[in-house]
Amino acid sequence: MDLSQTSAKELLNDLSNRSLSAEEVMRATLARIAAVNDQVNAIVALRDPDDLLAEARVVDQGENLGPLHGLPIAVKDLVNVAGIASTQGSPLFRDHVPATDDLLAARLRAAGAILIGKTNTPEFGLGSHTFNPVYGATRNPYDPALTCGGSSGGAAVALATGMLALADGSDMMGSLRNPAAWNNVYGFRPSWGRVPSEPTGDGFLHQLSTLGPMARSPEDIGILLDVISDPDPRQPNSVESSPITPVQTADLQGLRIGWLADWGGAFPMEEGILDLCQNALAVFAEMGAEVEEVPPPFDAERIWDSWITLRAWSVAAGLQPLTDRQAAFKDTAQWELEKGMALSAMDVHHASVARTEWFRCVVEVFQRFDVLVLPTVQVWPFAIETPYPAEISGAAMDTYHRWMQVVTPVSLLGLPALSVPAGFGSGGLPTGMQLVGPKGADARLLSIGAVYHAATSWPQKRPAM
């Protein structure tokens, strides 16, 4: 068995019934990392292999530890993990080795995972292109001269190349979805509040970012989502959720899909992306779904203005304790900090009003449709030396993140969204599309995605590395 090609479900079943040892899985994982990681730079801060093998042997000698028993996992480098360098991609934290786990890492460990290191991320997680001054850039396995996306870029590449079977990530502005699209895997942004964040700082106001899972199938995503879900009593907006595993396959007969395309031209797209998404939608139609193109339900600029205000406010709140070292930030972090610090209370209020109006609008849209669909990205992977696209098909981008505007209608409202692979363009590069549901429809989206995955199996068409 080639363990790098095996699903998380199958690995975990074999680990649980002891037909496969944690040591065997660890040896295979380390061998795969040794074979491919130098080419893509996805796994960073890897622990000593001898220590990892010794830990795996201890796991084999004990009781079953939980749903992730013996599975190697590298954690996104925005999460503190005890005993492993946790840098946020910033030189300010290059030597930071925490003594305790963040909540997400603690849940992984309690479920039986063996935490082997980190997955690479942009500095402070800002920007959908994974590069930083601590570890460098993570490369796209379909073309190492190109970006892999971000900010969960290392996680997506590790999945795509078979170095990991499951990976965590986080998503404020598409960071679970964008790299999933560009690496031919699945990324799931859960309903906001389902997966609690770290219980520090404000717990009421900043409702934009969420932690979530990535995998090579919706079924595997469900396994990890159950581990990292459940409310934290210290956080006022965390919500109760029912288990998703095993992910059930949906009956798509009569499923009402609203295709939002490029939002009536508001989101410029590079050639070929919309065509591939429409081809993917045809898969749903062949299985009985009703696909209808939907005109823009809300003004894209109002969503965007609300988004960049609330995002800058949230990012600045996170960076504010480091303002005495602001000169060490990358330019985009400085831009977010300065924009956020300049906002007035009424600026934030007006942005929140616009968000509320968009929410009321989308509630009405979901009375007509079960699922809304958008492309996950607006461009193909770009040169790894390029910080971010300055234009799309001749349309100038006025900020460093405007090229990812297509994810903001979802992020602004905290809706669940599954980025599914949509195939390959003429240049051999992958892209994806977002299946979006109403708040709380997480299980339903994964069940729909499971049917699509069974019909397409895109992630199993992986790069030869």
Side-chain angles (χ1 to χ4, degrees):
M1 178 189 296
D2 180 358
L3 298 186
S4 71
Q5 304 287 330
T6 306
S7 71
K9 177 185 176 182
E10 187 175 353
L11 283 175
L12 289 166
N13 284 342
D14 290 347
L15 284 164
S16 179
N17 65 31
R18 307 297 173 128
S19 63
L20 189 63
S21 71
E23 183 178 0
E24 288 176 282
V25 176
M26 185 61 72
R27 287 191 185 279
T29 298
L30 292 172
R32 186 64 177 162
I33 292 171
V36 305
N37 196 50
D38 283 349
Q39 301 167 59
V40 291
N41 191 36
I43 305 287
V44 296
L46 183 67
R47 291 173 55 200
D48 180 80
D50 290 337
D51 291 345
L52 289 170
L53 289 168
E55 185 172 340
R57 284 190 287 269
V58 170
V59 168
D60 287 329
Q61 294 164 8
E63 299 295 322
N64 191 301
L65 297 172
L68 301 181
H69 175 81
L71 189 71
I73 291 184
V75 181
K76 184 175 178 178
D77 198 24
L78 296 182
V79 175
N80 284 332
V81 178
I84 301 178
S86 300
T87 74
Q88 301 182 57
S90 169
L92 298 177
F93 299 103
R94 184 188 301 271
D95 301 318
H96 176 54
V97 179
T100 58
D101 288 331
D102 278 356
L103 179 61
L104 180 134
R107 288 186 170 185
L108 296 176
R109 207 187 292 275
I114 300 176
L115 306 187
I116 66 172
K118 293 302 198 71
T119 54
N120 204 20
T121 184
E123 185 177 346
F124 299 124
L126 297 177
S128 291
H129 177 14
T130 299
F131 69 97
N132 63 66
V134 180
Y135 295 117
T138 300
R139 297 178 177 273
N140 192 303
Y142 289 88
D143 185 341
L146 304 179
T147 179
C148 67
S151 62
S152 307
V157 172
L159 289 167
T161 55
M163 291 188 282
L164 298 176
L166 289 177
D168 72 284
S170 55
D171 188 308
M172 178 181 271
M173 194 174 175
S175 291
L176 282 159
R177 293 165 282 164
N178 157 278
W182 281 350
N183 291 277
N184 193 34
V185 298
Y186 291 85
F188 186 62
R189 180 187 168 105
S191 293
W192 196 86
R194 181 187 181 101
V195 179
S197 58
E198 191 60 15
T200 58
D202 172 70
F204 283 94
L205 297 176
H206 298 292
Q207 300 186 28
L208 295 179
S209 183
T210 180
L211 302 166
M214 305 179 79
R216 294 190 292 266
S217 74
E219 190 168 31
D220 284 353
I221 276 183
I223 294 170
L224 185 53
L225 183 60
D226 280 348
V227 169
I228 61 177
S229 295
D230 288 336
D232 181 331
R234 299 166 292 179
Q235 300 186 58
N237 291 314
S238 62
V239 298
E240 294 280 354
S241 55
S242 300
I244 284 177
T245 299
V247 171
Q248 305 297 318
T249 54
D251 180 0
L252 301 191
Q253 193 67 41
L255 183 77
R256 302 166 301 168
I257 297 178
W259 168 229
L260 288 162
D262 60 0
W263 209 274
F267 304 151
M269 299 276 170
E270 288 189 341
E271 186 176 356
I273 290 174
L274 289 176
D275 292 338
L276 279 182
C277 291
Q278 289 174 316
N279 291 344
L281 284 168
V283 174
F284 288 98
E286 290 165 4
M287 291 186 285
E290 301 168 1
V291 180
E292 178 184 334
E293 186 158 354
V294 184
F298 199 80
D299 182 66
E301 283 303 302
R302 286 202 71 202
I303 292 174
W304 177 251
D305 290 343
S306 174
W307 172 256
I308 60 171
T309 297
L310 295 174
R311 173 185 163 94
W313 180 49
S314 179
V315 172
L319 294 176
Q320 191 272 335
L322 301 173
T323 50
D324 60 332
R325 292 180 280 178
Q326 180 180 348
F329 295 177
K330 66 176 181 179
D331 57 348
T332 50
Q334 296 198 37
W335 182 88
E336 294 280 11
L337 178 62
E338 291 166 4
K339 180 175 178 61
M341 296 293 284
L343 293 170
S344 71
M346 293 310 295
D347 291 333
V348 172
H349 169 73
H350 291 311
S352 188
V353 168
R355 170 160 65 173
T356 304
E357 291 176 2
W358 165 221
F359 181 80
R360 291 173 183 145
C361 174
V362 87
V363 167
E364 294 181 4
V365 175
F366 277 124
Q367 291 175 359
R368 295 175 50 213
F369 298 100
D370 302 301
V371 177
L372 297 175
V373 176
L374 282 160
T376 302
V377 292
Q378 296 170 235
V379 300
W380 296 102
F382 48 86
I384 202 160
E385 299 83 8
T386 301
Y388 47 84
E391 58 88 25
I392 300 176
S393 300
M397 301 291 102
D398 56 359
T399 71
Y400 80 96
H401 48 14
R402 172 76 88 149
W403 64 277
M404 281 296 295
Q405 187 176 358
V406 71
V407 303
T408 59
V410 174
S411 293
L412 189 62
L413 302 186
L415 301 178
L418 176 65
S419 180
V420 304
F424 299 86
S426 59
L429 297 172
T431 192
M433 65 182 188
Q434 306 172 75
L435 309 183
V436 183
K439 190 173 182 179
D442 304 57
R444 177 69 167 153
L445 283 179
L446 291 177
S447 70
I448 293 167
V451 179
Y452 174 81
H453 177 70
T456 58
S457 296
W458 282 120
Q460 283 61 51
K461 302 171 176 67
R462 295 189 290 170
M465 296 188 75

